[in-house]
Amino acid sequence: MTEEQRRVPLSIPLDIAQKNVDPLVSPDNKIEFRDYSFYYRKFKALGNISMQIPTNQITAIIGPSGCGKSTLLRSINRMNDLVPNVHTEGDIFLNGENIIGQGVDVVDVRRRVGMVFQRPNPFPKSIYDNVAYGPRLYGFNRHDGLDEIVYNALKQAALWDEVKDKLHQSAMALSGGQQQRLCISRALAVEPEVVLMDEPASALDPVATLKIEELMQTLKETYTIIIVTHNMQQAARVSDRTAFMMIDDPERRTGILVEYGSTAQIFTNPKNKQTEDYVTGRFG
Amino acid sequence: MTKATHSLSNRRPPARWMIRLRLLLHYGDRPWNTLTITMAVLTILLVVAIGILLWRDSAGSRAASGLNFIKPTSDASWNPVSGEFQAWPFIYGTLITSLFSLVLAVPISLGAAIFLAELCPDWLRAPLGGIFELLAAIPSVIYGLWGIFVFLPDLVEPAGKFLGATLGAIPVLNIIFHGPIPASGASLLAASFILSIMITPTITAITRDVFLAIPVSQREASLALGSTRWETIWKVLIPYGLSGILGAVILGLGRALGETMAVTMVVGNSIGGSLSLLKPGYTMSSIIANEFAEAVSPLHTQALLEVGLILFILTLLLNILARMLVWRVGGGNVQGARP
Amino acid sequence: MTSNTHVWLGTSTRQLIQYRTGRRRRKFTNTLMIAFTALFTLLALGVLFWIITYVVIKGLQYLNLDFIIHLPRPLGITGGGVLNAIEGTIILTLLASLFAVIPGILAAYYAAYNPNTPLGVAVRFGTDVLSGVPSIIIGMFCYALIVKYQGHYSALAGSVALAIIMLPTIIRTTEEMIKLVPHTLREGSLALGSPEWKTAISVSLPAASQGIITGILLGIARASGETAPLLFTALGNDNYDMGRIIRAGIANHQGVFVILGNIVTQPVDSLPLTLWKYAQQPYPERINQAWAAALVLMILVLSLNIFTRISVQIRANRLQGK
């Protein structure tokens, strides 16, 4: 599927979709935050974030714990909606359409923006049923090529060879690293455009972590990947661009974007003193 | 040398009787432990004792009637005078009313539990749950009184007429929906409906706890894939908690089997030969309630005790099965409706 | 691919169609099923409301002061009441609490601090099983155990039956409450040299006392509404009046224990029992009194329940610092 084909708007009436498309947005940007703030009751958890995330690259979000990295990530697929008493300001654009606002089909956003969580969370079903869960929601069955979809997804997640003989065994019997790759293939099965990863390897051993990092390099050719990690070395190894976040002051504790640029620049030549302190390990 | 001040190290040794008392108090641990262990054992012993007593004191009747006591027959006799006892009508009545009560209770309880656990706004959750528990707290006799004078004429009798006219005309269903329902409404159907109301709070509370025990990560995984809330509930949560839900239903069934007062007041208390829900019937607990205090002969008493034994074994088995199922989901954390 | 209708993402036209038709149906199902669950919840609540409303309306019609302070009078004579039942309920629940509380707390203490021993597991299991035994069977059990040996029905037998019914509630609540007591409290006391039993009585149990009282109140609420176990143990007694018994005892110079014996070894009535008897009689007067008795009973049981739940909620809020 080419990028051209993906440029088709969301399933909301075209005239409303046009309203939210900003002609100034560069077509190279998959996701753009524009002055986005996130409030939990009166507490401002994220403050006026503005940044553009390019297509088919890996963008890492780093920063000390509690600065709002996960909150930022979960805003992209509207998972924060599950928390009561939250409200937002500003916009987030996916392919130029606003995904915050009236008339947005959240269920569809979540299909197009997949997520992999910190702890692997496979369903207590078979491996096949886990991967097939998403497509089945849309009515795909064996007759419609479900087997092929499952095969493709598992292949992309570099898991096919390890499980091809036990597709109908329980997913809970897999190792931690395998379960995480299963979660990745489950997310890929519904053909997302973006894959969000919230510290995907933090619960895994070094060998499994390495596998996941290798996987990300192949995946970025097809998908746009955004990863939150507290492991700086991993961010330096894996990502093309890096965003550094911090709390603005100890009292208000709002998370803000301090610096954002190419990974090489952030780690070798940071413009901001705080960034430099963090990447050199002076704090955090 | 300074005068020795009072300190723990140079006090006079205490009197011998004080030493003895202190030792006794310290070894008070042993009587304490014995006491607590005894009480714990007593609790378990109670259940065993009930079973043993029922078994022993029904010996005469068991010997006299043998398997005839429980054999299904359309022409059962329960004759305290002649000493002929066949409990099939009561067994049937108990089973059919309890099982049929599930037909209404399970969907409603499941729906309410899902609403309370997953869909309810936070601030509403505690008050609504509390109201459900109030429903469970209403004494059985009050259900019975309301049943006789309000529920039966207002709902059961019209429902019975309707069911008799519609389902009563269909060939197979005709057996259990053979009308007409008596004018008072007193029937096995009435007992079923009242039981549905009475067991709903139990099933709802336990099912709700089962849902709350399911890890949040499962919901997150499903929603992040682009499911709707209902799809998450139906395709992920219910399968995950299925054994717990089943346990809740079985517990409700167990409660229905043993329910006495409300059932007795609305069931019609008649040993008819009909299998129909729309006819008056009898249950095991009802016959005991009605006849035990005025049993005419020792054999009569023993026969009633035998009925009690059957009821006891049934509820015991269901209870054990249910608890094992419920414990599986929450790992022992699911508490369910406290009695 | 753009048009004036809703369009969808997909790799092929066929999948496009699949995604599109799926979406509307899924959304519809979602809304429908959520509506059903809300409906069912309302249904259950509606029934509760129905019952309470009826009991209140009909009960208020026939409730008056006479009802509470007089013994039953024969039909046709006004001013009869259910004093015997009220006093009976009080005596029965009092005695039942006496019998159930101490063994219950002790057994719960054992189960709380020895959760992994076979006996501890058995206690929890046994409590669950006991709570599932039909109350009428417990009544039969007490009949065989006590009434047959005593030769007559009595409040004693009735209260033993109610005690057995209260026991699971008390054990379960007490066990939970004891577990909630921070272990640092207990360990601090033990570290100071206090023996286990003293720690239990002066530290662990008092710390859990509020919760234990809640459990006892809930047990009382349950026991006071029970009828079946009393059918063959307490039986019922139209002339039960503690005041009269006490006065008669004093007049006859009977000892305290004899008077107590008189109170306890007679058959007694209780509110649920009276309800049961009156509801089945063909006389409208008795039926009206049944409604009034139902109202009194319901107020008693529901207010106990509401009170305990609210105090649990207040305590929970306080613990969370609200």
Side-chain angles (χ1 to χ4, degrees):
Chain A
M1 184 156 144
T2 66
E3 201 50 33
E4 283 303 311
Q5 286 172 299
R6 289 185 201 225
R7 292 249 135 245
V8 179
L10 293 160
S11 171
I12 48 180
L14 207 59
D15 47 356
I16 295 186
Q18 296 288 25
K19 241 191 271 173
N20 285 328
V21 175
D22 189 331
L24 293 176
V25 172
S26 160
D28 278 333
N29 290 325
K30 196 67 173 177
I31 294 186
E32 180 182 351
F33 289 87
R34 203 174 296 170
D35 205 27
Y36 178 74
S37 299
F38 181 83
Y39 294 84
Y40 174 68
R41 287 189 216 230
K42 287 237 157 60
F43 168 58
K44 191 172 187 179
L46 291 175
N48 308 83
I49 310 271
S50 290
M51 68 178 180
Q52 293 146 346
I53 298 182
T55 317
N56 286 358
Q57 290 186 26
I58 301 180
T59 304
I61 306 179
I62 61 174
S65 49
C67 67
K69 312 190 288 289
S70 287
T71 313
L72 186 65
L73 196 74
R74 294 165 82 107
S75 300
I76 305 178
N77 67 349
R78 302 280 301 261
M79 284 300 276
N80 284 325
D81 289 7
L82 299 178
V83 182
N85 299 314
V86 299
H87 69 277
T88 67
E89 284 170 5
D91 304 306
I92 304 179
F93 294 93
L94 172 67
N95 286 341
E97 293 114 44
N98 200 337
I99 58 173
I100 310 275
Q102 301 294 1
V104 172
D105 187 353
V106 174
V107 169
D108 186 57
V109 170
R110 290 190 184 137
R111 183 193 69 82
R112 298 166 70 198
V113 180
M115 186 170 227
V116 177
F117 297 85
Q118 191 169 347
R119 301 208 116 75
N121 51 9
F123 303 128
K125 304 178 195 260
S126 70
I127 295 173
Y128 186 93
D129 286 336
N130 263 278
V131 181
Y133 179 79
R136 277 201 179 118
L137 292 175
Y138 288 96
F140 283 94
N141 50 45
R142 312 290 295 260
H143 183 65
D144 286 314
L146 190 59
D147 284 351
E148 205 181 300
I149 295 178
V150 171
Y151 168 77
N152 278 325
L154 285 170
K155 220 45 189 154
Q156 284 181 68
L159 192 59
W160 172 256
D161 290 322
E162 290 170 54
V163 300
K164 63 181 178 215
D165 297 324
K166 43 183 183 167
L167 282 181
H168 295 285
Q169 288 180 21
S170 170
M172 312 305 279
L174 297 174
S175 74
Q178 288 173 320
Q179 284 188 3
Q180 191 66 305
R181 277 179 283 145
L182 178 65
C183 292
I184 294 177
S185 64
R186 186 175 63 181
L188 297 180
V190 288
E191 292 172 5
E193 303 170 39
V194 180
V195 179
L196 307 175
M197 298 193 173
D198 194 346
E199 304 198 38
S202 66
L204 304 177
D205 62 80
V207 173
T209 304
L210 195 59
K211 282 212 177 108
I212 303 268
E213 290 181 9
E214 286 168 357
L215 191 54
M216 286 200 274
Q217 300 299 331
T218 28
L219 287 178
K220 80 173 183 192
E221 292 164 27
T222 330
Y223 310 96
T224 303
I225 300 186
I226 309 176
I227 167 173
V228 161
T229 177
H230 62 263
N231 182 341
M232 271 189 300
Q233 291 77 23
Q234 182 177 74
R237 277 196 300 268
V238 146
S239 65
D240 302 305
R241 294 181 72 74
T242 303
F244 171 62
M245 287 183 65
M246 248 184 65
I247 303 181
D248 64 347
D249 87 51
E251 261 183 48
R252 275 181 305 160
R253 310 184 66 81
T254 304
I256 53 170
L257 182 63
V258 174
E259 191 170 344
Y260 176 55
S262 75
T263 301
Q265 179 253 308
I266 294 274
F267 279 93
T268 57
N269 193 11
K271 295 196 198 123
N272 203 298
K273 173 98 177 41
Q274 290 151 318
T275 318
E276 187 180 335
D277 285 344
Y278 184 75
V279 302
T280 54
R282 230 167 272 157
F283 84 93
Chain B
M1 183 123 162
T2 49
K3 197 161 142 191
T5 48
H6 286 287
S7 80
L8 276 166
S9 50
N10 54 11
R11 273 169 42 179
R12 270 181 320 141
R16 292 175 70 117
W17 64 267
M18 276 181 80
I19 299 180
R20 282 224 182 84
L21 186 63
R22 268 204 211 130
L23 278 176
L24 184 71
L25 287 178
H26 259 283
Y27 285 122
D29 265 356
R30 217 179 288 153
W32 171 262
N33 288 339
T34 318
L35 201 64
T36 52
I37 293 180
T38 311
M39 291 308 164
V41 172
L42 213 75
T43 313
I44 306 162
L45 232 60
L46 261 174
V47 181
V48 176
I50 297 178
I52 293 181
L53 202 114
L54 286 173
W55 179 263
R56 189 195 68 184
D57 284 1
S58 62
S61 169
R62 274 184 294 115
S65 319
L67 272 177
N68 232 2
F69 199 72
I70 54 177
K71 202 152 62 146
T73 158
S74 60
D75 186 24
S77 60
W78 181 265
N79 198 330
V81 174
S82 74
E84 216 182 308
F85 294 111
Q86 284 174 299
W88 171 247
F90 316 125
I91 301 178
Y92 177 74
T94 303
L95 287 178
I96 190 94
T97 50
S98 307
L99 288 171
F100 193 71
S101 74
L102 291 182
V103 169
L104 274 183
V106 169
I108 296 186
S109 306
L110 195 59
I114 291 175
F115 183 78
L116 284 175
E118 303 290 321
L119 305 168
C120 188
D122 258 352
W123 54 271
L124 202 54
R125 198 166 284 170
L128 276 187
I131 299 183
F132 262 90
E133 292 180 350
L134 284 184
L135 203 60
I138 296 183
S140 182
V141 265
I142 297 188
Y143 275 110
L145 181 68
W146 171 82
I148 299 179
F149 294 109
V150 181
F151 194 53
L152 254 52
D154 286 354
L155 196 114
V156 178
E157 203 260 331
K161 271 216 282 249
F162 174 74
L163 286 174
T166 52
L167 295 183
I170 305 177
V172 175
L173 291 175
N174 194 25
I175 307 176
I176 53 174
F177 285 107
H178 180 71
I181 194 168
S184 66
S187 56
L188 290 170
L189 187 73
S192 291
F193 281 164
I194 285 226
L195 283 175
S196 302
I197 303 177
M198 295 177 79
I199 66 178
T200 294
T202 308
I203 303 180
T204 303
I206 301 181
T207 307
R208 181 203 56 189
D209 284 352
V210 166
F211 274 109
L212 290 177
I214 301 179
V216 178
S217 54
Q218 291 289 303
R219 292 176 188 80
E220 288 190 330
S222 172
L223 289 168
L225 286 168
S227 336
T228 59
R229 291 213 84 145
W230 176 253
E231 282 163 350
T232 303
I233 294 172
W234 187 250
K235 295 177 192 258
V236 174
L237 298 183
I238 291 185
Y240 193 102
L242 199 59
S243 57
I245 298 175
L246 206 61
V249 171
I250 295 182
L251 266 172
L253 182 63
R255 246 207 88 171
L257 287 178
E259 188 43 62
T260 314
M261 306 318 296
V263 167
T264 311
M265 287 162 98
V266 303
V267 82
N269 298 330
S270 122
I271 313 182
S274 164
L275 288 177
S276 168
L277 277 171
L278 298 178
K279 296 289 178 203
Y282 232 136
T283 65
M284 289 194 267
S285 46
S286 304
I287 188 79
I288 298 175
N290 282 331
E291 294 196 353
F292 193 74
E294 292 136 10
V296 298
S297 67
L299 191 63
H300 190 191
T301 311
Q302 293 203 356
L304 289 169
L305 280 164
E306 195 178 339
V307 175
L309 180 66
I310 301 174
L311 190 58
F312 177 70
I313 294 178
L314 264 177
T315 48
L316 193 68
L317 288 175
L318 277 182
N319 231 284
I320 296 178
L321 181 63
R323 295 293 169 174
M324 292 198 308
L325 283 172
V326 172
W327 278 2
R328 263 221 284 161
V329 172
N333 288 332
V334 179
Q335 288 148 20
R338 297 206 198 97
Chain C
M1 263 205 287
T2 57
S3 68
N4 239 353
T5 56
H6 299 205
V7 286
W8 207 260
L9 289 175
T11 45
S12 71
T13 319
R14 192 159 122 250
Q15 283 167 331
L16 242 158
I17 297 172
Q18 203 130 27
Y19 281 143
R20 181 217 319 223
T21 51
R23 189 68 199 102
R24 229 174 282 139
R25 178 182 48 84
R26 291 169 65 202
K27 201 161 177 180
F28 174 70
T29 316
N30 187 49
T31 321
L32 185 72
M33 297 314 280
I34 292 181
F36 262 126
T37 60
L39 188 72
F40 285 168
T41 313
L42 275 170
L43 202 66
L45 298 179
V47 172
L48 176 72
F49 187 65
W50 192 8
I51 299 177
I52 294 185
T53 312
Y54 243 101
V55 172
V56 167
I57 293 180
K58 286 230 123 128
L60 277 179
Q61 275 185 296
Y62 306 110
L63 188 63
N64 50 40
L65 195 60
D66 276 346
F67 193 69
I68 306 185
I69 59 180
H70 285 152
L71 289 175
R73 302 224 177 123
L75 285 170
I77 304 182
T78 55
V82 291
L83 181 68
N84 58 332
I86 295 179
E87 291 192 353
T89 304
I90 295 176
I91 280 284
L92 283 169
T93 43
L94 217 67
L95 275 180
S97 312
L98 226 72
F99 289 140
V101 165
I102 299 198
I105 294 183
L106 289 174
Y109 186 89
Y110 182 85
Y113 284 126
N114 297 279
N116 297 319
T117 61
L119 188 56
V121 171
V123 167
R124 229 171 302 125
F125 201 63
T127 314
D128 282 346
V129 167
L130 193 59
S131 69
V133 175
S135 55
I136 195 164
I137 300 215
I138 296 180
M140 282 206 289
F141 175 68
C142 289
Y143 173 87
L145 220 54
I146 305 178
V147 179
K148 261 206 349 212
Y149 284 123
Q150 278 201 322
H152 60 88
Y153 300 96
S154 65
L156 198 69
S159 36
V160 170
L162 291 184
I164 299 179
I165 291 181
M166 281 175 77
L167 201 59
T169 311
I170 294 181
I171 294 184
R172 209 179 289 174
T173 322
T174 307
E175 189 192 336
E176 278 171 42
M177 291 300 139
I178 292 180
K179 280 195 184 149
L180 281 181
V181 173
H183 62 95
T184 47
L185 217 62
R186 176 170 171 256
E187 286 169 8
S189 168
L190 291 173
L192 284 170
S194 167
E196 174 88 41
W197 66 271
K198 221 179 191 186
T199 305
I201 295 185
S202 51
V203 175
S204 311
L205 290 180
S209 62
Q210 269 191 310
I212 297 180
I213 293 179
T214 306
I216 298 177
L217 287 177
L218 281 176
I220 291 181
R222 182 172 172 200
S224 53
E226 286 285 345
T227 323
L230 299 178
L231 287 173
F232 340 115
T233 48
L235 188 68
N237 183 345
D238 276 349
N239 290 318
Y240 193 78
D241 180 0
M242 275 195 286
R244 192 171 344 136
I245 298 176
I246 296 177
R247 270 176 273 138
I250 295 177
N252 290 339
H253 305 292
Q254 290 171 339
V256 176
F257 286 113
V258 178
I259 299 181
L260 280 177
N262 284 340
I263 292 182
V264 152
T265 54
Q266 286 190 44
V268 285
D269 234 316
S270 79
L271 278 172
L273 260 181
T274 307
L275 231 178
W276 157 253
K277 282 189 298 188
Y278 284 4
Q280 303 190 315
Q281 295 186 9
Y283 310 109
E285 193 178 327
R286 289 296 181 225
I287 306 220
N288 298 339
Q289 291 189 315
W291 281 110
L295 180 60
V296 175
L297 182 61
M298 202 174 76
I299 293 179
L300 171 67
V301 169
L302 287 191
S303 40
L304 267 176
N305 260 280
I306 295 179
F307 171 73
T308 50
R309 308 238 179 243
I310 292 187
S311 54
V312 164
Q313 191 65 23
I314 293 181
R315 223 178 313 130
N317 286 348
R318 222 185 292 145
L319 271 174
Q320 288 177 10
K322 286 202 196 142

